[in-house]
């Protein structure tokens, strides 16, 4: 085996890969946000670029969220970061529940108007049962995901 001599090299390689992945995340995130702003799907101030063509406001916005990772350096900050993660996960579950409800309303409005799903350009299989199962699953996960908050012995 390589032993203790390879340990510093491994750490340097891992640190370099981590920095590279951070730079890639900033590049992809900022360009994606810039593209959304150009299409009118994000606020217009994200379209501003400097004289080199860098969308600096989107870079700053993405870097602000990447810097939240440094909250994990402290135990209390790690708790705050966990709360933020839980908040984002809950918002995502609510978003998916709204998507399921929207599809169900669409499905039943088509049915009430006498429009067959076969007339649509594409129809997902197993509907509306898959939407009902997904909605139920998301609701159960949403309602039970924070049960550890109510356990006082831990």
């Amino acid at each position: 085996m390589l032993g203790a001599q390879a340990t510093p090299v491994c750490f340097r390689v891992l640190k370099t890969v981590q920095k590279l992945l951070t730079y890639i995340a900033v590049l992809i995130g900022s360009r994606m946000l810039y593209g959304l702003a150009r299409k009118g799907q994000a606020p217009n101030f994200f379209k501003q670029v400097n004289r080199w063509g860098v969308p600096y406001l989107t870079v700053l916005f993405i870097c602000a969220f990447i810097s939240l990772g440094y909250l994990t350096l402290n135990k209390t900050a790690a708790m705050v970061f966990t709360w933020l993660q839980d908040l984002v996960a809950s918002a995502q579950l609510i978003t998916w529940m709204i998507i399921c409800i929207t599809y169900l309303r669409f499905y039943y409005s088509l049915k009430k108007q006498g429009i067959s799903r076969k007339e649509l350009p594409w129809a997902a299989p197993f509907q509306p049962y898959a939407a009902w199962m997904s909605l139920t699953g998301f609701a159960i996960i949403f309602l039970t995901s924070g049960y550890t908050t109510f356990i006082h012995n831990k």
Side-chain angles (χ1 to χ4, degrees), residues 96-115:
W96 279 108
M97 289 189 315
I98 290 170
I99 289 171
C100 289
I101 291 168
T102 302
Y103 175 77
L104 288 169
R105 297 310 316 146
F106 171 73
Y107 174 81
Y108 289 118
S109 67
L110 283 179
K111 191 174 180 180
K112 187 165 186 151
Q113 295 176 21
I115 301 172

Side-chain angles (χ1 to χ4, degrees), residues 14-114:
L14 288 174
K15 196 143 184 93
T16 304
V17 168
Q18 175 195 14
K19 287 179 183 178
L20 178 66
L21 291 175
T22 303
Y23 295 144
I24 291 171
V26 170
L27 177 68
I28 291 173
S30 64
R31 290 296 172 172
M32 189 178 300
L33 188 57
Y34 175 68
L36 288 171
R38 288 187 55 166
K39 285 184 175 181
Q41 298 173 344
N44 281 335
F45 63 87
F46 285 128
K47 286 195 278 188
Q48 294 179 7
V49 294
N50 62 13
R51 62 182 173 196
W52 298 288
V54 177
Y56 61 95
L57 290 177
T58 61
V59 171
L60 291 173
F61 185 76
I62 297 297
C63 286
F65 283 99
I66 289 177
S67 65
L68 287 175
Y70 288 109
L71 286 173
T72 61
L73 297 176
N74 188 343
K75 187 175 181 177
T76 56
M79 180 62 76
V80 172
F81 190 66
T82 302
W83 291 341
L84 289 173
Q85 286 176 324
D86 292 343
L87 181 67
V88 169
S90 298
Q92 192 65 35
L93 284 169
I94 291 170
T95 301
W96 279 108
M97 289 189 315
I98 290 170
I99 289 171
C100 289
I101 291 168
T102 302
Y103 175 77
L104 288 169
R105 297 310 316 146
F106 171 73
Y107 174 81
Y108 289 118
S109 67
L110 283 179
K111 191 174 180 180
K112 187 165 186 151
Q113 295 176 21

